[in-house]
Amino acid sequence: AISAFVLSTAMGSLMVGLLANLPVPVGPGLGCAAFFAYGLTGSRTTVDRAITEMGITCCLLSGCVMLVLGVLDLPRRIFGIVPIPVKHSMPIGLGLLLSLCGFQQMGLVVADPYTGVRMSTSIGMSIILGAAGAIAMAFVAHRAPKELKFTQFVGPIAFFTLVSWSFGLSPWPEGLITTPVFGETLINFHELGKFFWSPVFGLFMICMFDIGGIVESVCGFADSMDAAKRRKPLITPDGVRGEYWVYFSCGV
């Protein structure tokens, strides 16, 4: 799964850079992953191979739908009619989801049988390091010189990662480079039920809105950074320049 994630993200992002010339990463997103894990296949203590094969096959079909409709330029047109406030709220929602995942990894948010999640009642080293890292990134983002802005996240992340390895909170990497390992293919069209179109449509919609929101937010940030340089803006009244190729690359 990790090898497939890395390779698909690298290929999709490279295609966006070459075809669309946009600073937009493309890869398997948290929205689709959450829907697959908790909605499509369900949260189970044991793995049901038939349900897993059904879910993986639906993912393949939704990718095919995105590719075909992307060639026809439909995702871009559909997302173009979404109100501006909704577009701006999508990256905020994604940020909240990422924050929740980070808080759970830190141990700040723990599982609860009644409410789903709750705040932890204890403070461990992982919580202290996570909070210190967030404060350090915020401080560097506001205080770093303009020519060193690229270090506002890389520096604190590298430092606190080393600290986490040193205290045994995270395992040390086993090497710099490893050979990709792929498991068996879990595509099985015989496991599809007669209502398979519903999860396929759901995955397609999640992917379309995820990538559309990311394109708007990333390109909007890029325009604000390049405003002083008087470059041609990425976001125009007709949409984002090169957005067609983003959806095409996403489908691939």
Side-chain angles (χ1 to χ4, degrees):
I2 295 178
S3 299
F5 172 83
V6 172
L7 292 177
S8 60
T9 301
M11 182 178 68
S13 302
L14 181 63
M15 289 182 62
V16 171
L18 294 176
L19 298 177
N21 194 27
L22 293 176
V24 178
V26 171
L30 280 178
C32 291
F35 176 71
F36 177 85
Y38 299 105
L40 187 55
T41 60
S43 179
R44 295 176 174 84
T45 56
T46 59
V47 177
D48 190 324
R49 181 182 177 87
I51 294 179
T52 302
E53 290 178 347
M54 180 272 295
I56 294 293
T57 307
C58 287
C59 290
L60 173 64
L61 292 177
S62 67
C64 295
V65 171
M66 174 62 76
L67 178 59
V68 173
L69 297 184
V71 172
L72 299 176
D73 199 22
L74 289 182
R76 184 187 68 83
R77 295 177 181 274
I78 294 174
F79 192 79
I81 64 176
V82 175
I84 296 297
V86 177
K87 292 181 179 179
H88 291 173
S89 67
M90 290 178 184
I92 298 174
L94 180 59
L96 292 174
L97 177 60
L98 291 172
S99 299
L100 177 60
C101 294
F103 291 153
Q104 289 179 313
Q105 186 71 25
M106 292 165 51
L108 182 62
V109 175
V110 296
D112 186 273
Y114 301 103
T115 61
V117 292
R118 62 174 175 83
M119 294 287 292
S120 175
T121 56
S122 61
I123 298 179
M125 182 59 68
S126 59
I127 296 179
I128 296 175
L129 284 178
I135 294 174
M137 285 189 290
F139 178 81
V140 173
H142 287 278
R143 294 294 183 180
K146 292 183 178 180
E147 58 273 12
L148 296 178
K149 280 295 183 180
F150 68 94
T151 64
Q152 58 183 319
F153 296 121
V154 177
I157 289 176
F159 173 77
F160 285 100
T161 298
L162 291 175
V163 174
S164 178
W165 288 343
S166 301
F167 280 92
L169 298 176
S170 301
W172 285 86
E174 299 178 356
L176 296 177
I177 301 176
T178 58
T179 303
V181 178
F182 298 96
E184 59 179 323
T185 302
L186 296 176
I187 303 299
N188 188 349
F189 291 95
H190 297 290
E191 297 295 341
L192 293 176
K194 60 181 179 179
F195 296 108
F196 73 93
W197 55 268
S198 180
V200 170
F201 177 75
L203 285 166
F204 164 75
M205 293 298 293
I206 292 173
C207 182
M208 183 186 68
F209 282 104
D210 271 357
I211 195 65
I214 292 175
V215 168
E216 288 282 340
S217 61
V218 171
C219 293
F221 179 76
D223 284 345
S224 65
M225 296 293 291
D226 292 339
K229 301 178 182 179
R230 297 184 179 181
R231 295 179 179 175
K232 188 176 181 180
L234 297 176
I235 300 180
T236 66
D238 297 328
V240 179
R241 292 189 292 111
E243 190 176 6
Y244 169 87
W245 294 109
V246 178
Y247 288 106
F248 173 81
S249 303
C250 184
V252 173

